[in-house]
Amino acid sequence: MAVRPDGRAGGGDRAAQPPRRDRGTRRAPARRNGTPVTLSAERQAASGIATLDDLREHLQWAIELEHATLPPYLCALYSLDPERNPEAVELVAGVFIEEMLHLALAANLLNAVGGRPRLDIPRMLPAHPRPLPHGDRSLELSLLPFGEEALDMFLRLERPAPPGAPPEAEDYETIGQFYDAIEVGLRRLCDTLGERAVFGGDPARQVHGGHFRHTGGRLIAVTDLASALAALEEIVEEGEGTSRGEVWDGDRDVHHPERDEVAHYYRFQELRIGRRYQRGDTPESGPTGGAIGVDFEGALPMRRNPRLADHPKGSAIRTAQDEFNHTYCAVLHLLEQAFNGSPRMLAVATGTMYGLKAQAQALMRMPDGEGTTAGPTFEYVDPELRRWSVGDRKRIVVLRNGPYLVYGGVPLRRKRKIVSAENDALTWKTDEDIPTEGTYALCRCGGSGSKPFCDGTHAVNGFDGTESADVRPYSELQHVHDGVGISAQRVGELCIHAAFCIGRTRPIAKMLDDTADSDVRSNIMGRIDHCPSGSYSYALERGGETIEPDLPQAVSVLEEEGGLASALWVTGGVPVLRADGEPLETRNRMTLCRCGHSSGKPLCDGTHREIGFREEPTTEGAGS
C-alpha cells in the first residue's frame, strides 16, 4: 500500500499509473546549456571531489542537504487546514514525499561507492534558523507555518541554477550546482580509477522501488555510473525541471495522474501566483493554466522557530515538544538502519513518520503567546535518553503504535503446534527459518500484507498500540499449587490458551493431586515446558529454583491447530523494551501479540483465537 505524509492512502503502484514520459539518457560528456565542458574545466570544478573519500564526504552532505528541507516542509504542511487549502496540501505533500525520495537516492549513491549513510547524529538537527549544509550561508531555513514567507523561503531553496552556472562542490548557490559537482566528480573518478573501483559498495544495501512507493519519481538502485547519473538526474529534475529549461520534471502528478508534474520550484510558483502551469508554459511565461485556490489565512499560526528552551520543564507545551522530538529522532534512527543493511526498514521509518502529524498538529493548537501557537522544535535527542536505540545487543523494541523492532540478528523461525486427532495439544514442531536482515520489524497491528513482517500498514489503519500489560514481576503475580515433588506456579494474565495445561482428561491443577506417581509428575513437567508464554512454570519444591527448558534466543512465529495464527514466541531471555524505553521483565519465555487485538499489549492474551486470526505468509523474505 502506498501512503502519503498527510495520512491518506494514495500513489499506488507505479504499474497502475500512466506511462512515464521518456527522458532520454544523461548527457555525456557533461554540458552546460548544450556546450561541452572541457576536461580542464571539469577538473577545476571538481577540485573538492578529487578522491573517493571526497566523494563519500560530499554524498553524506547530500543526505544532510535533503534532510534539511524536511522540517520546514513538514511545518508548512501540518499547519495547513486541508478543508480550506486542499490544493496547497497536495502540492506541499508532494514536494515532501519527493524530498524523502531524494534522501533515499543520496543514501543509495553513498552506499554504492562504499560509504556509510549517517542520519541519527546531532548535526542533522541544528537549531533553526539554519543554513543548508555547506551551502550559501545567506540562505536560512526556518520553521514557519504555511504562508507567503514560507513560500518565499521554498522558492529560494528550490530555485534553478542560472544559465551557465558552474558546478559548486561547496558554498553552492543552488542545489543543482552542488549535484552537478558530484556528477563531475563521479565521472572524473570513473575515468581515473575505473568504474568498478568507484562502485564497490554492497548492492544489498540499496533501497529500491519495492521499498518506496509514495511518489511518481523513481527510487533507483545505484550499482554503476549509468544508474548513479540517473539518480542524480531524478533529484535535480524534480527540483529544477527537465534539461534545466522546462518546468516539468518528467513524471506524472501522483495526486492527479492525468497531469504532467511540474518541478518543485514551479509548484511553489503555482501557489505563490495562484495559477497552474499548463502544457506550453515556460519559466519565462509563468503559469497560465487554471486557478489554484490558496487561502493564506487557512493555516495554524505557529510561532516561528520554536524551541524547547522557550518553555519551562514540565509544562504541557515542552512535554509535547519533547515527545515529538523523540518520535522524529526515532525516524532518523530507523532511516539509518534502513540505509545500513536493513533496507526493508524504510517502510517502518515511513510509517513512524505518520505519527508526527498528530503530534505536530496538537502542538499547533496549543496557544503560545499573542496570536501564535506552539510548534515542533526538531531538536536532537541523545540516543542515551532514548535507550532503546543504543547498541547492537539482541533485543526487541515495541514502537509506539507501530511494530516490534528486532535488533542483534535474533533468529526468526516458524513453529507449528502438533495436536492429536481430538485436537489435544501435544508438542511444537520447528519448521523453516525465515530469512531476515540484521535488524527487522515484525507486524504488531495484524494488518500487514507481508506478515510476519511490518509493511507500514499500521500508519493508515488506525492501529492503537497502547500498552496495558501488568508490568509487575512474575514472582508477585504467581499463584502456587503444590504437589508431591513439584510446585507449580501460574500467572493467569500471561496465558494465551495454547492448551498444553489442559490434558486429554484433566488439567494440570487436577493432575497435581496424583503427583506421587512419577509418570504423572513427569507429564506435568513436560506440559509446562511446552507452555509458550511461561504462564505456567515449576520448581521441585515451594520457593525452590524455577526449572526452565533450555531454549535458544529466538523469535518463533506460532501456528496453532487449523492454521490459526498465534503469538510471537520470544525465547532464551531476549529483552523486550516497551515504547517508553522501559524494559518488561526478561523471562525465558514470553509471547507477544501480533493480531493487534490483545487487551494486554504488547503481550498476547489469546484474542487471536476469538477473532480467528490467520496469516498468509510471505515467501519473499523480511518485510518485502
Side-chain angles (χ1 to χ4, degrees):
M1 174 183 290
V3 285
R4 309 192 318 225
D6 60 2
R8 292 177 284 167
D13 292 335
R14 291 299 311 279
Q17 298 181 14
R20 178 189 184 86
R21 293 190 298 115
D22 182 19
R23 295 178 175 181
T25 58
R26 189 75 173 180
R27 55 193 182 281
R31 293 173 175 268
R32 293 290 173 269
N33 298 318
T35 303
V37 178
T38 66
L39 187 62
S40 60
E42 284 185 337
R43 286 177 174 163
Q44 181 179 0
S47 60
I49 307 178
T51 68
L52 266 177
D53 283 342
D54 291 339
L55 178 61
R56 292 168 185 147
E57 179 182 47
H58 282 76
L59 288 171
Q60 174 63 35
W61 292 357
I63 291 171
E64 295 172 23
L65 159 62
E66 298 300 343
H67 172 264
T69 68
L70 301 184
Y73 286 145
L74 281 178
C75 282
L77 175 62
Y78 291 153
S79 71
L80 280 164
D81 182 339
E83 299 297 324
R84 297 171 65 177
N85 277 299
E87 292 176 295
V89 168
E90 284 189 352
L91 285 172
V92 178
V95 171
F96 171 80
I97 293 168
E98 288 170 0
E99 294 298 346
M100 283 291 295
L101 170 66
H102 300 170
L103 175 66
L105 288 169
N108 276 356
L109 285 160
L110 180 52
N111 270 322
V113 299
R116 178 172 180 258
R118 302 291 305 280
L119 287 100
D120 192 1
I121 50 177
R123 72 170 184 265
M124 296 296 283
L125 289 173
H128 289 83
R130 59 158 300 183
L132 282 177
H134 305 278
D136 182 352
R137 308 294 293 185
S138 68
L139 170 58
E140 287 190 334
L141 299 180
S142 288
L143 303 178
L144 303 170
F146 179 82
E148 294 186 7
E149 184 181 1
L151 284 179
D152 289 343
M153 176 178 64
F154 298 156
L155 285 165
R156 172 78 186 279
L157 171 66
E158 299 282 2
R159 67 190 173 100
E168 293 178 329
E170 193 165 1
D171 297 326
Y172 49 88
E173 295 179 60
T174 68
I175 292 173
Q177 289 170 275
F178 174 69
Y179 281 111
D180 281 345
I182 289 177
E183 176 189 335
V184 170
L186 265 171
R187 290 180 181 276
R188 180 187 179 193
L189 288 170
C190 286
D191 286 344
T192 57
L193 302 178
E195 195 168 335
R196 180 172 296 182
V198 172
F199 293 96
D202 182 358
R205 288 177 170 245
Q206 295 292 309
V207 295
H208 53 74
H211 311 130
F212 197 100
R213 296 176 296 172
H214 311 284
T215 171
R218 296 176 297 164
L219 182 49
I220 299 162
V222 178
T223 56
D224 54 19
L225 181 60
S227 53
L229 296 179
L232 290 170
E233 182 179 48
E234 188 77 32
I235 294 171
V236 173
E237 290 191 354
E238 283 187 337
E240 296 189 7
T242 55
S243 304
R244 310 295 201 279
E246 293 186 12
V247 301
W248 318 103
D249 71 4
D251 295 322
R252 295 285 185 172
D253 189 321
V254 71
H255 303 294
H256 302 280
E258 73 279 4
R259 299 177 187 161
D260 288 324
E261 187 171 68
V262 299
H264 295 179
Y265 177 81
Y266 302 103
R267 281 183 236 179
F268 290 128
Q269 274 200 335
E270 288 181 328
L271 291 176
R272 199 73 174 85
I273 296 171
R275 192 166 294 280
R276 287 192 180 276
Y277 280 92
Q278 62 182 346
R279 183 54 59 186
D281 287 345
T282 67
E284 291 73 27
S285 72
T288 65
I292 293 179
V294 181
D295 180 359
F296 285 106
E297 300 300 317
L300 297 166
M302 187 192 86
R303 177 178 182 172
R304 63 181 297 127
N305 296 321
R307 296 190 183 183
L308 279 175
D310 295 336
H311 301 279
K313 291 182 179 180
S315 64
I317 289 178
R318 181 158 177 164
T319 298
Q321 289 173 331
D322 189 55
E323 289 176 355
F324 179 94
N325 290 336
H326 272 78
T327 302
Y328 194 79
C329 288
V331 171
L332 294 181
H333 171 76
L334 293 169
L335 288 171
E336 185 163 298
Q337 293 289 319
F339 300 140
N340 283 278
S342 298
R344 292 179 179 90
M345 294 287 284
L346 187 58
V348 185
T350 305
T352 303
M353 188 168 284
Y354 291 111
L356 295 170
K357 179 181 180 182
Q359 290 177 280
Q361 291 186 332
L363 276 165
M364 292 181 188
R365 291 185 174 92
M366 300 173 76
D368 181 24
E370 294 185 8
T372 63
T373 63
T377 67
F378 291 93
E379 294 176 73
Y380 189 72
V381 179
D382 190 280
E384 290 293 338
L385 298 177
R386 292 179 253 155
R387 287 171 288 192
W388 61 268
S389 65
V390 178
D392 297 324
R393 69 190 185 282
K394 289 181 171 63
R395 66 196 186 281
I396 297 171
V397 174
V398 182
L399 276 193
R400 179 184 178 185
N401 296 329
Y404 303 106
L405 301 183
V406 186
Y407 291 85
V410 179
L412 182 67
R413 57 194 52 162
R414 293 188 181 276
K415 281 185 179 288
R416 181 164 43 90
K417 188 165 74 172
I418 304 300
V419 298
S420 70
E422 294 77 26
N423 272 341
D424 296 318
L426 300 177
T427 189
W428 295 103
K429 180 182 183 297
T430 301
D431 289 331
E432 76 278 8
D433 284 353
I434 303 174
T436 68
E437 297 167 342
T439 301
Y440 56 94
L442 297 174
C443 175
R444 188 159 75 100
C445 72
S448 171
S450 298
K451 298 182 188 73
F453 300 101
C454 172
D455 68 355
T457 298
H458 61 275
V460 293
N461 69 1
F463 174 59
D464 181 359
T466 302
E467 296 161 73
S468 55
D470 194 326
V471 297
R472 288 178 292 170
Y474 187 96
S475 60
E476 291 185 16
L477 296 170
Q478 68 184 6
H479 296 275
V480 181
H481 307 274
D482 293 330
V484 177
I486 186 171
S487 179
Q489 302 140 181
R490 182 172 185 268
V491 176
E493 293 88 342
L494 300 178
C495 181
I496 73 166
H497 308 291
F500 284 93
C501 62
I502 293 176
R504 184 174 62 84
T505 59
R506 53 183 178 159
I508 283 176
K510 293 296 184 182
M511 294 172 68
L512 285 166
D513 295 337
D514 297 327
T515 47
D517 183 334
S518 61
D519 283 348
V520 174
R521 190 159 67 248
S522 175
N523 190 339
I524 292 173
M525 291 175 176
R527 290 185 175 280
I528 290 176
D529 284 348
H530 284 97
C531 173
S533 68
S535 170
Y536 256 115
S537 64
Y538 70 90
L540 299 182
E541 60 186 6
R542 181 179 283 258
E545 180 183 356
T546 298
I547 298 175
E548 280 284 329
D550 185 10
L551 298 173
Q553 287 195 316
V555 177
S556 298
V557 181
L558 298 185
E559 178 185 320
E560 298 191 52
E561 66 276 7
L564 182 72
S566 184
L568 296 171
W569 187 7
V570 181
T571 57
V574 177
V576 177
L577 285 76
R578 302 182 318 191
D580 62 6
E582 294 296 326
L584 294 174
E585 181 183 27
T586 299
R587 296 186 289 113
N588 187 41
R589 294 174 280 173
M590 183 181 298
T591 44
L592 301 176
C593 171
R594 69 183 183 108
C595 72
H597 290 81
S598 170
S599 61
K601 298 183 185 74
L603 302 180
C604 173
D605 68 354
T607 301
H608 58 274
R609 303 187 69 85
E610 299 175 15
I611 65 175
F613 185 56
R614 293 288 189 274
E615 174 190 331
E616 294 294 330
T618 176
T619 58
E620 300 179 9
S624 56

